[in-house]
């Protein structure tokens, strides 16, 4: 069986990027508090506009895309997606390419998908329903 990659710690490059993006968002909210309501409205519209009951599908779909990217990058493990539901959380993991800065950006913002033509979805809205 292939080695399992550990989660990147908060002080990793990707962890520090996530913190920087969160701080940037909070700074925008500090300058323009109305953006909080706007962003909330956008999230609500995504959930109520057809994506509200697709969370598991969206997780699996994005996992499948990561597996395709991984194969393109030479990751030679069999494609596998695993979901785990506990009393307090839903976890999803895959054997595909690890998330990068563009992927984090695509999750945090609408309409900023970094997907290519052979991947599922490309508007950057479906995964927002998971949030």
């Amino acid at each position: 069986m292939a080695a399992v990659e550990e989660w990147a710690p908060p002080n990793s490059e990707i962890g520090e990027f996530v913190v920087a993006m969160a701080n940037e968002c909070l700074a925008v909210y500090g300058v323009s508090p109305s953006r909080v309501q706007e962003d909330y409205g956008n999230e609500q519209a995504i959930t109520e506009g057809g994506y509200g009951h697709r969370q598991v599908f969206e997780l699996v779909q994005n996992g499948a895309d990561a597996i395709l990217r991984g194969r393109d990058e030479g990751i030679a493990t069999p494609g596998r997606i695993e979901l785990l539901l506990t009393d307090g959380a839903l976890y999803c993991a895959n054997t595909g390419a690890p998330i990068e800065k563009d992927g984090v950006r695509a999750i945090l913002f609408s309409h900023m998908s970094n997907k290519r033509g052979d991947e599922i979805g490309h508007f950057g809205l479906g995964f927002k329903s998971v949030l």
Side-chain angles (χ1 to χ4, degrees):
M1 179 168 207
V4 176
E5 217 174 293
E6 295 292 323
W7 286 85
N11 64 344
S12 67
E13 181 181 356
I14 197 75
E16 289 175 354
F17 180 74
V18 170
V19 170
M21 295 299 296
N23 289 335
E24 180 181 304
C25 184
L26 291 173
V28 169
Y29 290 161
V31 173
S32 179
S34 59
R35 287 289 307 274
V36 174
Q37 186 174 359
E38 178 184 23
D39 286 352
Y40 171 77
N42 286 334
E43 298 287 339
Q44 191 173 23
I46 290 166
T47 300
E48 294 174 3
Y51 291 96
H53 302 287
R54 295 174 43 101
Q55 289 83 3
V56 171
F57 176 79
E58 294 296 335
L59 289 168
V60 171
Q61 176 178 293
N62 281 278
D65 290 338
I67 290 168
L68 287 175
R69 274 193 313 279
R71 288 183 179 157
D72 290 348
E73 295 171 11
I75 298 174
T77 60
R80 181 174 169 200
I81 299 168
E82 189 167 326
L83 295 167
L84 174 64
L85 179 62
T86 69
D87 288 338
L90 171 63
Y91 297 93
C92 182
N94 66 73
T95 57
I99 195 163
E100 296 176 338
K101 290 179 182 179
D102 285 344
V104 171
R105 195 175 286 111
I107 290 170
L108 295 175
F109 298 99
S110 301
H111 306 288
M112 294 185 73
S113 176
N114 63 342
K115 292 188 176 182
R116 309 168 311 207
D118 62 341
E119 294 175 309
I120 305 166
H122 60 277
F123 295 112
L125 295 176
F127 195 82
K128 300 285 282 175
S129 70
V130 175
L131 300 176

